[in-house]
Amino acid sequence: MASSLNIKGISSVKIKSERTKSIILLVITAILWSLGGVLIKSIKCNPVAIAGMRSAIAAIVLLIVIKKPKLTWSFAQIGAALAYSGTVILFVMANKTTTAANAILLQYTAPIYVALFGAWFLKEKTKIFDWIIIFIVLGGMALFFLDNLSTSGILGNILAAGSGVCFGFLAIFMRMQKDGSPLESVFLGNILTAIIGIPFIFSSEINSQGWIMLLIMGVVQLGIPYVLYSMAIKHVTALEVILIPIIEPILNPVWVFILIGETPGPWAIVGGVIVVTAVTLRCVLPALRSKSKIVITEDSRQTNTIKS
């Protein structure tokens, strides 16, 4: 009896330790992802060339970790690779034509597209609450276009919104791969992005500082974070997976402001607050409800055990 309790105690401590470690990994992941805006803006080069080189370097990092990638070439895996490529290319292009805050916050609308298109691809019903959140987010997105923007600034916002759509489809195609590894899809997406970027790389002049920045982006900002993320999500709750990465859209424009001095417009700030709040509520409330159901189920089981 004592040995049984001791084993349970040790396993409980081990689970808590793994969870704490995973939360730290998620925080590190979000911080590293948030460096994207300032690094992209620090490189004077064609945005597609930047996306291509960054992905080529990240693919090498992922290959070292995966070793033997399992490429099934299924519809979901190819779809995820295409969506990933669209996400990163449009995001880099957006950062070059609009503010870092606009780029990351408009990309952060991705969960709304998951709710919108999940009904077709995942056979998940879109509830009334989802539609309310969708219209709130669309209203927040519209505010980004009310600032005094140049033609390139408007184009940048459209590209950032497109990046959000692609990011949403990436999540959908990932979820369609029930037994697949997310790293394989990301690896394939990086390879595709690198291939697309090849013509632009040869036509771009990148100085030594630019190559250093690209190396940092590929390894530190993109490659390593995805590895850490895949390790962390195994030991944390769905709520923690949702909440902790919110650090990224908050820190991204902060780094750009501190190091480059770029500030978003007032309407963009208001729109950003609306988008982040609405998307967070959309993700958090269902997770809280499912968590409460689990607690109620466990309590009822304990009651039945006591009765028996």
Side-chain angles (χ1 to χ4, degrees), residues 4 12-13 55 57 74 87 93 117 133-134 139 199 204 230 234 239 266 293 303:
S4 176
S12 177
V13 170
S55 284
I57 297 167
S74 64
T87 299
M93 291 175 71
F117 297 109
I133 294 295
I134 286 168
S204 301
S230 65
K234 297 175 183 177
L239 190 58
K293 285 179 182 178
T303 304

Side-chain angles (χ1 to χ4, degrees), residues 52-306:
M53 279 306 304
R54 180 179 74 156
S55 284
I57 297 167
I60 295 170
V61 174
L62 293 173
L63 185 59
I64 292 170
V65 175
I66 301 171
K67 295 178 181 177
K68 292 182 179 180
K70 297 176 182 177
L71 301 178
T72 61
W73 303 106
S74 64
F75 171 75
Q77 192 174 72
I78 293 171
L82 290 169
Y84 176 89
S85 184
T87 299
V88 295
I89 291 174
L90 291 175
F91 180 69
V92 175
M93 291 175 71
N95 268 281
K96 284 294 187 181
T97 48
T98 189
T99 64
N102 288 21
I104 189 64
L105 289 168
L106 285 169
Q107 188 195 59
Y108 192 68
T109 59
I112 300 308
Y113 303 113
V114 176
L116 194 59
F117 297 109
W120 286 281
F121 289 90
L122 302 172
K123 307 301 179 185
E124 295 176 353
K125 292 183 179 179
T126 304
K127 300 175 182 177
I128 295 175
F129 176 67
D130 293 326
W131 286 111
I132 293 170
I133 294 295
I134 286 168
F135 283 113
I136 291 173
V137 169
L138 289 174
M141 289 174 68
L143 296 180
F144 282 84
F145 294 87
L146 295 182
D147 287 317
N148 294 322
L149 296 170
S150 61
T151 305
S152 65
I154 294 171
L155 175 62
N157 283 0
I158 294 170
L159 291 170
S163 179
V165 174
C166 289
F167 198 24
F169 274 104
L170 174 61
I172 289 171
F173 286 124
M174 287 289 202
R175 288 174 64 181
M176 287 173 67
Q177 300 177 70
K178 293 179 180 179
D179 301 319
S181 168
L183 277 181
E184 263 81 357
S185 295
V186 172
F187 170 72
L188 194 59
N190 277 310
I191 293 293
L192 177 61
T193 305
I195 293 170
I196 293 171
I198 287 173
F200 299 92
I201 293 167
F202 285 112
S203 61
S204 301
E205 293 183 5
I206 307 173
N207 57 26
S208 57
Q209 182 183 347
W211 281 109
I212 293 170
M213 291 294 183
L214 282 169
L215 186 63
I216 293 171
M217 286 178 69
V219 177
V220 179
Q221 192 268 327
L222 198 62
I224 292 175
Y226 267 107
V227 175
L228 297 180
Y229 184 77
S230 65
M231 292 167 57
I233 58 175
K234 297 175 183 177
H235 304 287
V236 292
T237 65
L239 190 58
E240 287 161 345
V241 170
I242 293 161
L243 286 175
I244 297 171
I246 291 174
I247 296 170
E248 183 196 358
I250 295 171
L251 282 183
N252 187 304
V254 172
W255 300 134
V256 177
F257 173 73
I258 293 172
L259 299 173
I260 297 177
E262 179 188 86
T263 55
W267 283 112
I269 294 172
V270 175
V273 170
I274 291 172
V275 167
V276 171
T277 304
V279 171
T280 304
L281 285 173
R282 164 65 183 80
C283 296
V284 168
L285 291 180
L288 285 174
R289 281 199 293 267
S290 62
K291 189 176 180 181
S292 64
K293 285 179 182 178
I294 291 169
V295 171
I296 291 168
T297 304
E298 287 179 349
D299 287 345
S300 63
R301 283 177 182 173
Q302 288 175 2
T303 304
N304 291 333
T305 303
I306 291 168

